[in-house]
Amino acid sequence: MIELDAIHKTFGDTEVLHDLSLKIETGELAVLIGPSGSGKSTTLKLLNRLLDPDRGCVRLHGEDIRRQAPEQLRRKIGYAIQSVGLFPHWTVEQNIAVVPELQKWPRTRIRERVAELLVLLDMPPAQFLHRYPHQISGGQQQRVGVARALAADPEFLLMDEPFGALDPVTRANLQDELLRIHRLLGKTIVLVTHDLDEAIRLGSRIVIMDQGRIVQQGPAREILLTPANAFVRDFVKPGEIGVRLLGLARVSERVRWSAQATGEALGLNATLREALSAFILQGVACLPVADESGRHVGALHFDDLLEIRA
Amino acid sequence: MKTGRGFLLSLTVLTATLFILPFSDALFHALYPELSQPVYRQDNLTLLLIAHLQIVALSSLPAIFIGVAFGIWVTRPSGAAFRPLAETVLSLVQSIPPVAVLALAVPLLGFGEWPALLALTSYGLLPIAHGTLSGLEALPAELGQTARALGMTRWQTLRRIELPCAMPAIFAGIRTSVVINIGTAALASTVGARTLGLPIIIGLSGFNDAYVIQGALLVALLAICVDQFFVWMGKSVLPGHRS
């Protein structure tokens, strides 16, 4: 559990965080989002003491984080940043091994752990261990960044716009991968982004910030359906709320099992937003649904999308 | 395959020149028929070269330590206040020609090897400090911050991340400094040090152009040789850096 309690922070004359309090439960994937200057990155940096608050207190599992040395604290908290964060003069293996080495793990255990993480992130170790960051693609660099953050098996993971510099396809793949890892390992993750779609896609809780304050927090659905004020309403773009809501649900939740239909099949795992797109594209109001192996399992009707508010 | 070839070639030419010069009376007689002694024999050239290298090493090593340390210091929070001043002074002082440095050193420090060493060291540390400073400064801020965020101490961040990443710039500064130093060290003979500058000085004062050429040739070859040595070393010292 992460608690921020009545935090104030100023840089010079500018107040960047004003009386900020936030509680993130164990196992949550909390996304901090807001325009630039809203204080979201500053908030993240308070959690591993890259910054200390002027007033207020940060607690992990109830213990004030200022009670341990910053280096000790940080080695227990994974940290990933945009691809520039990899050390350019070190190989993939050396980059991932940083924190275990700082913690003085035995050499063989480090080697095993690095290989294990590369496999987890779908990068064959034999192929990547000895490459330098500039020899691999942006998406691969980002995976290495995530692997490095996970290396010492930290309980908490902080991610500062980790997918910011990637193309949309790679970005979507890595978002899926992060969700998979989150489900698999159950880490408490705090992620900063300025991309609302990313926040909706990843966050079990979205924390919207503006001018150093939290203006609203909750699950994506709640924020889309009941924006707390005009700022949030503008931020979620009123014209796109409908499709964004559809993006939150999967075909598997609405499918009419064993019903029949003709047309190009939807995947069970597709979002309703993708289903909407398919209805429009194919000009029909009913489409078959297939499972991962391509086997027909049922059908989805256009009307099924309309129940999304319920 | 090409690694070290330039160094080996220049080293061969230097060594050959060193051995051939004492037997080159015929050549220099032909070039300067009016000179009765056209080949420099007052000192053993090899010993002069060794003495020359000694002076370069004795002044460059402290210059490297002081220059790198200074460059590190002004990029740390404790020395940050001095950085703008340091940058201005470093680039300003580097525009002073090396001859002027030695000319200034004599009235200030007197004659002999020590004043020469002191002058060479202070002049030599400038490109190194400058290279270190600009190399460290050019690193993206995220690099150091990420290292800190992963749990490295300030010292670990500097030693394991920042210095290696700034190494190309630091190394370039050292290379510039040492190569210039080889030329400047020759001038140290004007203030009483034994170097390859001796034939040049004696030649100039005794109207013996042949001596000047012999000394200058050796100094130039030595500078090329050391420069090539740095090129060769750079390839093995800087692994993984983008070319």
Side-chain angles (χ1 to χ4, degrees):
Chain A
M1 189 174 60
I2 303 172
E3 283 168 290
L4 292 113
D5 194 4
I7 302 284
H8 285 264
K9 180 74 187 170
T10 53
F11 291 145
D13 293 334
T14 331
E15 186 175 48
V16 282
L17 292 178
H18 179 84
D19 192 24
L20 183 121
S21 293
L22 175 65
K23 199 169 177 183
I24 296 162
E25 300 293 339
T26 302
E28 266 193 294
L29 199 170
V31 178
L32 307 181
I33 186 168
S36 22
S38 59
K40 53 191 195 298
S41 287
T42 307
T43 307
L44 194 76
K45 286 174 185 157
L46 292 172
L47 300 183
N48 63 358
R49 293 195 62 191
L50 282 179
L51 293 172
D52 280 328
D54 299 336
R55 270 186 287 146
C57 172
V58 182
R59 287 187 289 266
L60 292 184
H61 294 317
E63 192 194 346
D64 190 334
I65 59 172
R66 272 170 299 188
R67 287 175 61 178
Q68 27 185 333
E71 285 79 22
Q72 293 304 323
L73 173 78
R74 290 172 191 150
R75 289 171 198 177
K76 288 184 274 184
I77 301 177
Y79 181 83
I81 191 178
Q82 288 195 19
S83 46
V84 284
L86 289 188
F87 302 129
H89 60 307
W90 282 356
T91 61
V92 166
E93 179 175 28
Q94 289 171 306
N95 265 286
I96 298 178
V98 176
V99 186
E101 262 179 15
L102 288 171
Q103 295 189 345
K104 308 217 179 333
W105 287 21
R107 208 154 281 282
T108 46
R109 189 170 157 216
I110 294 179
R111 208 169 298 141
E112 282 165 18
R113 179 66 179 154
V114 171
E116 180 185 313
L117 283 162
L118 282 174
V119 170
L120 177 75
L121 287 157
D122 209 15
M123 295 174 74
Q127 197 183 333
F128 288 101
L129 274 178
H130 303 297
R131 301 262 190 103
Y132 285 95
H134 70 270
Q135 296 171 322
I136 60 179
S137 73
Q140 288 161 346
Q141 289 180 15
Q142 211 40 66
R143 277 161 213 254
V144 174
V146 174
R148 182 174 65 181
L150 289 169
D153 205 14
E155 212 178 322
F156 305 97
L157 196 55
L158 309 181
M159 309 184 88
D160 195 353
E161 304 213 14
F163 310 132
L166 300 173
D167 65 86
V169 179
T170 314
R171 175 184 265 243
N173 283 339
L174 278 171
Q175 287 168 347
D176 281 344
E177 223 150 300
L178 182 65
L179 283 173
R180 183 172 64 90
I181 288 168
H182 181 237
R183 274 196 301 269
L184 201 69
L185 308 176
K187 309 269 177 209
T188 309
I189 302 177
V190 185
L191 183 143
V192 165
T193 183
H194 60 260
D195 176 358
L196 184 65
D197 283 312
E198 181 164 275
I200 291 173
R201 192 169 171 147
L202 295 177
S204 60
R205 175 141 58 119
I206 296 175
V207 180
I208 300 184
M209 296 186 62
D210 183 38
Q211 295 175 9
R213 294 159 212 256
I214 293 173
V215 285
Q216 187 173 7
Q217 54 172 309
R221 187 181 163 79
E222 191 181 303
I223 283 170
L224 291 173
L225 284 174
T226 53
N229 59 20
F231 173 80
V232 180
R233 221 175 355 262
D234 284 349
F235 194 76
V236 298
K237 298 212 188 84
E240 291 173 26
I241 292 177
V243 283
R244 284 192 161 132
L245 280 170
L246 287 174
L248 289 172
R250 308 242 164 211
V251 168
S252 54
E253 297 163 41
R254 303 282 155 155
V255 62
R256 301 180 184 192
W257 299 102
S258 28
Q260 295 291 324
T262 52
E264 203 177 309
L266 297 163
L268 266 181
N269 231 345
T271 63
L272 294 185
R273 186 176 177 164
E274 289 161 326
L276 172 69
S277 169
F279 285 132
I280 306 284
L281 210 63
Q282 299 186 39
V284 292
C286 181
L287 279 171
V289 176
D291 66 9
E292 274 148 33
S293 60
R295 198 167 49 90
H296 177 91
V297 290
L300 185 75
H301 287 244
F302 185 80
D303 292 346
D304 299 335
L305 303 186
L306 301 180
E307 297 159 21
I308 195 72
R309 286 200 61 129
Chain B
M1 283 300 283
K2 282 188 178 171
T3 323
R5 236 166 55 178
F7 172 56
L8 282 179
L9 183 69
S10 47
L11 187 65
T12 313
V13 175
L14 175 66
T15 319
T17 312
L18 213 50
F19 279 105
I20 292 167
L21 272 184
F23 308 103
S24 59
D25 295 74
L27 173 68
F28 285 98
H29 262 306
L31 287 171
Y32 299 97
E34 74 281 5
L35 293 175
S36 58
Q37 272 199 357
V39 172
Y40 186 83
R41 286 212 170 76
Q42 283 87 325
D43 300 274
N44 181 320
L45 290 176
T46 312
L47 292 180
L48 279 189
L49 183 125
I50 291 169
H52 194 111
L53 277 177
Q54 262 172 1
I55 285 195
V56 169
L58 283 177
S59 54
S60 281
L61 284 177
I64 291 171
F65 281 112
I66 300 169
V68 171
F70 184 79
I72 291 172
W73 177 61
V74 291
T75 52
R76 300 305 100 183
S78 60
F82 295 90
R83 195 158 83 187
L85 181 70
E87 275 174 344
T88 318
V89 171
L90 285 180
S91 37
L92 208 69
V93 177
Q94 271 188 89
S95 60
I96 301 177
V99 194
V101 176
L102 279 164
L104 285 172
V106 172
L108 291 174
L109 308 165
F111 279 90
E113 304 230 340
W114 284 111
L117 279 178
L118 203 60
L120 291 176
T121 301
S122 18
Y123 191 72
L125 67 83
L126 301 174
I128 299 171
H130 196 253
T132 309
L133 196 161
S134 51
L136 287 172
E137 207 173 41
L139 299 179
E142 290 89 346
L143 202 66
Q145 198 181 75
T146 308
R148 304 276 291 136
L150 290 169
M152 288 195 196
T153 60
R154 281 190 190 286
W155 168 243
Q156 286 168 328
T157 304
L158 176 68
R159 191 173 57 83
R160 304 182 58 185
I161 306 298
E162 292 176 314
L163 281 182
C165 288
M167 199 41 90
I170 299 175
F171 197 75
I174 293 176
R175 178 177 161 191
T176 308
S177 165
V178 174
V179 172
I180 291 180
N181 198 352
I182 288 173
T184 320
L187 298 165
S189 285
T190 53
V191 296
R194 273 169 62 84
T195 72
L196 285 176
L198 221 47
I200 303 178
I201 309 296
I202 293 174
L204 285 175
S205 50
F207 303 101
N208 190 325
D209 290 355
Y211 286 5
V212 177
I213 287 183
Q214 287 153 32
L217 186 67
L218 286 175
V219 173
L221 283 173
L222 181 64
I224 292 172
C225 194
V226 170
D227 188 56
Q228 285 302 314
F229 173 73
F230 276 106
V231 172
W232 173 56
M233 210 168 85
K235 283 181 183 142
S236 47
V237 159
L238 311 170
H241 284 290
R242 269 168 260 215
S243 53

